[in-house]
Amino acid sequence: MKVLSAPERVTLNLTNRCNLDCLYCAVSTTKNAPGDLALEQWKSVIDELARIKVFQLAISGGEPFLYGDLLSILAHIHRYPFRISINTNATLMDEKVLSYLSRSKRLNYIQVSLDGPNAEVHDQIRGRGSFKQLVRGIALLRGYDIPFFYYVVVHKKNQRHIGEMVCFGRSTGASQIAFSTLVPQGNALAHLKELLLPYDDQKQVENEMRRLKNRYPHFVGGTLVQAIEWMDAITRMAGPRNTAGGVNIVTSCGGSISECAIRPDGGVIPCDRLWNYTVGDVKKDSLQSIWRHGQGFKKFRERYRRRIDSFAECRGCAYTDLCRGGCPATPYGLGKGIDGWDPLSCYRVFVGEKECTIPQQDEYYEQAAAH
């Protein structure tokens, strides 16, 4: 396993503050908590990221447009040759910021969170009036000719509206619509019963994704589409199997290998999906020191030395030579640590050979929400 001398990409989560309360919010454990890094602290972090030659910065939160010094942050970032992107719910678009970004040569895109093609669906997840505010925000993005795409987490409340969301995305000028699987983390742990897709519904979603990807190959994408394509490729490669083949090493995640994230309070995490898995603090140490020598990162990277069949649920599996190990955020969110099995990325679950073992008992949800 080769670890880069510095991450290629770092996400700067500028603030814990957010104006919405999404049912699957990944940062709910710190939402609206005090202690965001001040402007000068963020500037020092950005200076170091330039010094160690990080290539890309993603600006996120909370909701980054609630960070009072966002324009100053962007101006400081533009002193260096970073490529940048911004993740937002698009409800609080600031025209001064958009005017500045419209002149930027380094903005890759703005990622806009979307949960439905209309207020009836979208507002169920994000709160009343949020879709109307989003539409206003998109109009501003288009007015300033700023590239953007939609990021959609697929769940029970929007699974029947995937095609409509694609049409909405095309009609509003997005460059792409990227679909993702629901990850059991943050607020989602308290709402899994109403959000997580059962097996039959998941199969319907997969078929709809294949249809839409075939019809709009350059517009429909995202990690969910990539996962379906990978599972379909495994089906073509695997064929009938009665015995286990070779065994891969875990290679499924770039967190701590090529990227990491910094929380609003300065905590360093492998990626945004592991919000509570802090491995260092930029208020105490340099990111370079944390990246190269931090015990938290070293422990996390041990996952990449594991054989797939070292997970108890994977022993004897016939597909270990084709598996990459899944996302560590899923077992971590379920209280099983980063070395647990990820049922949402398992090929045997995908084809119905193995049951997805995310518990469905009320007691579990109460415990998971508390965790």
Side-chain angles (χ1 to χ4, degrees):
M1 175 191 62
K2 183 179 180 180
V3 179
L4 300 178
S5 60
E8 294 179 329
R9 182 177 187 270
V10 175
T11 299
L12 306 180
N13 296 285
L14 297 183
T15 180
N16 280 311
R17 297 175 61 203
C18 188
N19 58 315
L20 302 182
D21 192 21
C22 303
L23 294 186
Y24 56 80
C25 174
V27 304
S28 61
T29 54
T30 63
K31 181 175 177 285
N32 293 328
D36 292 352
L37 294 181
L39 174 61
E40 293 306 314
Q41 290 174 302
W42 277 121
K43 284 184 176 180
S44 294
V45 169
I46 292 164
D47 290 342
E48 186 196 358
L49 299 183
R51 189 166 58 251
I52 64 176
K53 295 183 169 48
V54 171
F55 300 148
Q56 298 184 54
L57 300 182
I59 310 301
S60 190
E63 170 49 52
F65 279 86
L66 274 172
Y67 189 76
D69 292 310
L70 179 57
L71 193 55
S72 298
I73 289 282
L74 291 171
H76 196 73
I77 288 172
H78 276 76
R79 294 176 58 191
Y80 303 108
F82 297 113
R83 299 298 302 180
I84 64 170
S85 61
I86 300 177
N87 304 340
T88 177
N89 60 38
T91 64
L92 299 172
M93 296 284 93
D94 182 314
E95 292 204 54
K96 288 184 180 179
V97 173
L98 296 186
S99 177
Y100 181 87
L101 289 172
S102 69
R103 300 188 298 274
S104 172
K105 303 289 187 187
R106 308 211 193 100
L107 177 67
N108 288 338
Y109 53 77
I110 288 185
Q111 174 182 304
V112 176
S113 300
L114 179 70
D115 274 287
N118 52 49
E120 181 182 2
V121 181
H122 183 85
D123 290 6
Q124 287 185 76
I125 296 294
R126 298 184 172 265
R128 187 175 180 181
S130 57
F131 185 78
K132 183 178 180 180
Q133 291 175 293
L134 178 144
V135 170
R136 172 189 169 276
I138 295 303
L140 288 172
L141 287 175
R142 297 186 72 178
Y144 283 98
D145 197 26
I146 293 174
F148 72 95
F149 75 93
Y150 291 114
Y151 180 85
V152 179
V153 174
V154 178
H155 46 73
K156 276 186 181 180
K157 293 182 181 295
N158 66 11
Q159 66 177 103
R160 309 293 181 193
H161 304 276
I162 292 172
E164 295 169 69
M165 283 189 279
V166 170
C167 292
F168 174 79
R170 287 169 56 81
S171 70
T172 52
S175 61
Q176 188 188 46
I177 185 164
F179 293 96
S180 175
T181 304
L182 178 75
V183 177
Q185 60 181 351
N187 266 357
L189 292 172
H191 299 282
L192 287 179
K193 289 183 74 173
E194 60 185 291
L195 294 177
L196 197 63
L197 294 173
Y199 182 79
D200 289 345
D201 288 354
Q202 181 67 40
K203 294 297 109 179
Q204 292 179 16
V205 165
E206 290 162 10
N207 288 334
E208 179 69 347
M209 287 296 176
R210 293 184 184 98
R211 183 186 72 83
L212 291 168
K213 179 65 174 177
N214 184 61
R215 184 171 182 180
Y216 307 109
H218 302 296
F219 186 72
V220 174
T223 55
L224 176 56
V225 174
Q226 292 168 1
I228 293 168
E229 291 176 336
W230 175 240
M231 294 295 184
D232 288 346
I234 291 178
T235 299
R236 292 191 295 272
M237 291 186 288
R241 292 186 169 204
N242 297 316
T243 59
V247 181
N248 276 343
I249 302 295
V250 173
T251 58
S252 58
C253 174
S256 84
I257 300 298
S258 61
E259 64 179 288
C260 67
I262 302 174
R263 297 190 343 171
D265 60 1
V268 180
I269 51 180
C271 80
D272 283 352
R273 288 185 166 189
L274 289 160
W275 191 255
N276 295 316
Y277 190 91
T278 53
V279 297
D281 188 339
V282 295
K283 297 192 302 296
K284 300 176 181 178
D285 301 293
S286 69
L287 182 68
Q288 185 174 47
S289 176
I290 296 168
W291 179 263
R292 291 185 176 181
H293 310 296
Q295 292 303 309
F297 267 138
K298 287 182 179 179
K299 178 175 173 56
F300 189 83
R301 289 168 184 152
E302 289 175 5
R303 176 180 170 87
Y304 303 109
R305 298 184 179 94
R306 292 194 60 168
R307 289 163 51 106
I308 301 296
D309 63 355
S310 67
F311 301 125
E313 296 87 349
C314 304
R315 289 172 192 150
C317 176
Y319 309 103
T320 52
D321 59 326
L322 301 174
C323 183
R324 297 179 60 202
C327 175
T330 299
Y332 184 77
L334 296 172
K336 297 182 178 181
I338 57 168
D339 284 331
W341 171 61
D342 175 12
L344 301 182
S345 301
C346 176
Y347 178 72
R348 294 181 68 194
V349 171
F350 178 79
V351 295
E353 290 182 8
K354 189 177 181 68
E355 200 170 325
C356 181
T357 57
I358 293 181
Q360 299 294 313
Q361 295 85 13
D362 291 339
E363 299 81 9
Y364 167 76
Y365 291 100
E366 293 172 4
Q367 294 169 8
H371 171 78

